[in-house]
Amino acid sequence: AAKRHGRNHSQRFRPSLEVAGDPQLELLNELRQALAHGTQLELFYQSQYYLDDGRLAGMEALLRWYHPTHGMISPGTFIPLAERHGLMAALGDWVIDHACAQLSTWREQGLSFVPVWINISAVQLIQGDLEARLSSSLAKHNVPAAMLGLELTESVLLDERAGDISARLVALRNTGHPIAIDDFGTGYSSMAYLKQLPVDKLKLDRAFVRALPDDSADAAITSAVLAMARGLGLDVVAEGVETEEQRDYLRAQGCAIVQGFLYARPERVADVEARLKRDADMSFS
Ligand code: C2E
Ligand code: MG
Ligand code: MG
Ligand code: MG
């Protein structure tokens, strides 16, 4: 009895039991398995359009995870988890490889020749060999770097662990990658950064677009960002455009590109392909 008691006692403190009781770590283990098998992960693509003529401008790849029991888990939940626990580099590699494979397929089929934009986590830059991972995947799938855009948030640009970020972005851009600052306006990057960094696009965060055009502060911020971007020769992509009123305001202020539910949701590949064929038919008729 003493022995059994002892065993029970020690079991209560076994790390594996504590892991099993921590829903976050359980989720992390399941994500690790999902990544190893590759079956529960999928890239969705959200189309972006030029405001002036309605042409397709690009597509953003957005990662989805179908959990066997919890259903679809938002990247807002599992990306930070992967970042905290050393899984983001592998997850990022999965995204790079699948986006390149998809680009290659669409190009071979003649379906799409616009860039696909992927989101890059700070962890991927800090780790140091992002450049090599990108170029080997592009080579493997025979896709030019110009077709694979990189979205970085402002916080990434200020992360000193990523080394000389400006030099690294110059190198990535010299390789041909278009570069966008994501969620622009929500971070702390100074205006001076924009002058010095080799950036092609600013993505105006959805937080500013949501209450357009009625919220006068958001309207002021939006038109100021657009004016500044114009002065710097940068295109602005407005995120989260859901209404015609938002679109009209953005157009009047000279915004180049829009992305949002008004135009397209993030879609599975089959739905994107149907959209691409529809667009092609429309332009030939
Ligand atoms: P993000 O890069 O800013 O992506 C835009 C988010 O806004 C997406 O959420 C998209 O579904 C959502 N969205 C687009 N248009 C609208 C709209 O009109 N209304 C509303 N309410 N939402 C809209 P999602 O897919 O849940 O992704 C959330 C975030 O997770 C992304 O924000 C990005 O930071 C991160 N993420 C997603 N996929 C990846 C990935 O492959 N790698 C990394 N590192 N991060 C990713
Ligand atoms: Mg993004
Ligand atoms: Mg964004
Ligand atoms: Mg955002």
Side-chain angles (χ1 to χ4, degrees), residues 60-62 118-119 151 182-183 203 239 259:
E60 179 173 8
L62 293 159
I118 57 173
N119 292 282
E151 297 193 2
D182 205 353
D183 306 331
K203 297 194 75 180
E239 295 187 317
Q259 176 179 348

Side-chain angles (χ1 to χ4, degrees), residues 102-122:
Q102 189 61 67
L103 268 166
S104 169
T105 302
W106 282 337
R107 286 161 57 80
E108 275 166 20
Q109 295 174 343
L111 262 180
S112 170
F113 300 93
V114 297
V116 162
W117 294 80
I118 57 173
N119 292 282
I120 299 291
S121 157

Side-chain angles (χ1 to χ4, degrees), residues 163-174:
D164 184 347
I165 198 79
S166 157
R168 294 186 66 190
L169 289 190
V170 168
L172 284 168
R173 199 156 174 259
N174 286 343

Side-chain angles (χ1 to χ4, degrees), residues 212-270:
L212 291 180
D214 299 332
D215 186 297
S216 59
D218 288 339
I221 290 168
T222 297
S223 56
V225 168
L226 287 164
M228 180 193 65
R230 190 157 45 245
L232 293 169
L234 303 173
D235 273 348
V236 171
V237 182
E239 295 187 317
V241 181
E242 295 183 353
T243 70
E244 292 173 359
E245 290 74 23
Q246 291 165 347
R247 174 201 61 198
D248 292 343
Y249 182 82
L250 290 162
R251 177 180 281 143
Q253 298 296 317
C255 179
I257 299 169
V258 280
Q259 176 179 348
F261 295 172
L262 179 63
Y263 296 89
R265 295 199 168 241
E267 296 168 315
R268 319 187 68 153
V269 166

Side-chain angles (χ1 to χ4, degrees), residues 43-44 46 60-64 73-80 83 88 91-92 94-96 117-122 124 151 153 182-183 203 205-206 209-210 238-243 246 259-266:
L43 283 180
F44 275 41
Q46 189 177 24
E60 179 173 8
L62 293 159
L63 188 56
R64 298 290 180 259
I73 299 181
S74 157
T77 302
F78 69 81
I79 297 274
E83 288 177 332
M88 192 59 229
L91 202 55
W94 191 94
V95 169
I96 291 168
W117 294 80
I118 57 173
N119 292 282
I120 299 291
S121 157
Q124 290 171 274
E151 297 193 2
T153 60
D182 205 353
D183 306 331
K203 297 194 75 180
D205 196 74
R206 179 150 59 89
V209 175
R210 191 178 298 129
E239 295 187 317
V241 181
E242 295 183 353
T243 70
Q246 291 165 347
Q259 176 179 348
F261 295 172
L262 179 63
Y263 296 89
R265 295 199 168 241

